Amino acid sequence: MIIRIKDQRELDHMRASADLVGRTLGAVARVLEPGVTTAALDRVAERFVRAHDAEPAFKGYSISGLKPFPGTLCVSVNDVVVHGIPGGYALQEGDVVSIDCGVRLNGYYGDSAYTFGLGAIGTQARALCQATYEALHLGIKAAQPGNRVGDIGHAVQRRCAGFGVVRELAGHGIGTRLHEEPQVPNVGVPGRGKRLRSGVTICIEPMINLGTHRVATSADGWTVRTADGARSAHYEHMVAIGDGGPEILTTFDYIEDVVEPPFTATYG
Ligand code: MG
Ligand code: MG
């Protein structure tokens, strides 16, 4: 499979898609509080995306043999790592809530995720969120033209030593398809893997657990949980590799204008 290089026109489309994902997550952040159901968050996101002439990217997304994903968001609470299906669960004080959103606008995809803490989540979960958030930004810093995918994975893995770094799922290229080449694992060996060139667009998305790195998929075919029931965090940015270095296409600003990060940021 080939890694598609984007030209300036395509990058402009991707900046727009990325910005819309950020704004959608900001709209969701505004209504995030104990008592709200994950289905209600999903409705807010879907309405917002459609009001901006875009389509939800995850809704109807299907991988071989699975029934299509039903939501605009993946809402993954506590021990759910990713791909949580929005439903009747009402969020509670102390929940660690990862929200992943994808859109398609003018033929180009946007994809970003943020982990929220609902009130007091405890020092361990705060450390988990902080490590994951910092690992994302260290991974981005490693996404220099001429570097390789293994440099990103190594940077993420190194920051998350002591936590469980999920291996079964990875970041990915993005563009006119939600998932393109190359795969961007969260573990890696420096100097190994596909080369990052100017015009490559990827999603970097560490998925990090408080306990074991092992995960299990639920009977619904989508929901990925930690194998030991420990909590998990997930942050995701879309990045374009440029001649001068990585450009972060998505933004958490719309989120962090409304809610405090679930830790005291020291990096990012
Ligand atoms: Mg995502
Ligand atoms: Mg992604």
Side-chain angles (χ1 to χ4, degrees):
M1 291 281 266
I2 215 145
I3 300 177
R4 285 206 45 237
I5 301 293
K6 277 79 176 181
D7 61 24
Q8 281 308 319
R9 184 194 65 88
E10 293 189 283
L11 287 173
D12 280 341
H13 280 308
M14 296 191 67
R15 288 183 185 104
S17 303
D19 188 67
L20 179 57
V21 178
R23 282 188 285 149
T24 307
L25 288 171
V28 171
R30 252 173 257 133
V31 296
L32 191 76
E33 59 178 8
V36 72
T37 65
T38 59
L41 299 178
D42 196 67
R43 284 193 293 273
V44 167
E46 181 168 1
R47 224 177 292 130
F48 193 91
V49 169
R50 294 198 191 280
H52 290 83
D53 302 316
E55 298 159 27
F58 303 160
K59 196 166 186 151
Y61 186 87
S62 174
I63 32 184
S64 58
L66 275 185
K67 60 173 195 266
F69 190 82
T72 292
L73 302 175
C74 298
V75 186
S76 304
V77 182
N78 294 328
D79 67 320
V80 178
V81 180
V82 286
H83 305 165
I85 297 175
Y89 176 78
L91 296 176
Q92 294 176 31
E93 169 92 22
D95 281 346
V96 173
V97 187
S98 301
I99 302 184
D100 196 341
C101 181
V103 305
R104 184 167 174 268
L105 175 65
N106 295 319
Y108 287 83
Y109 283 92
D111 183 12
S112 179
Y114 194 91
T115 299
F116 300 82
L118 251 71
I121 59 171
T123 50
Q124 277 192 311
R126 285 172 64 86
L128 170 73
C129 291
Q130 180 162 355
T132 310
Y133 191 97
E134 291 185 3
L136 166 61
H137 288 92
L138 291 166
I140 293 167
K141 211 171 157 188
Q144 300 292 336
N147 276 8
R148 290 176 183 269
V149 158
D151 293 300
I152 298 173
H154 178 74
V156 169
Q157 180 177 22
R158 199 177 140 157
R159 173 61 184 88
C160 295
F163 298 97
V165 180
V166 176
R167 286 139 166 83
E168 283 87 343
L169 299 137
H172 50 91
I174 185 166
T176 53
R177 289 183 305 144
L178 180 58
H179 297 121
E180 299 185 351
E181 289 291 309
Q183 265 208 31
V184 185
N186 293 306
V187 296
V189 177
R192 295 276 184 85
K194 299 268 171 64
R195 195 180 288 282
L196 302 165
R197 299 172 200 282
S198 185
V200 171
T201 47
I202 55 174
C203 288
I204 302 177
E205 48 177 319
M207 291 155 263
I208 312 293
N209 305 338
L210 258 182
T212 179
H213 67 82
R214 283 179 298 109
V215 297
T217 305
S218 306
D220 64 28
W222 284 109
T223 311
V224 177
R225 293 179 187 274
T226 58
D228 60 2
R231 286 178 287 178
S232 187
H234 178 211
Y235 292 92
E236 174 179 21
H237 268 319
M238 255 169 90
V239 175
I241 317 302
D243 291 327
E247 173 189 347
I248 306 179
L249 301 179
T250 39
T251 174
F252 296 151
D253 288 354
Y254 302 106
I255 296 171
E256 292 175 350
D257 282 350
V258 203
V259 298
E260 291 285 313
F263 50 82
T264 309
T266 54
Y267 193 96

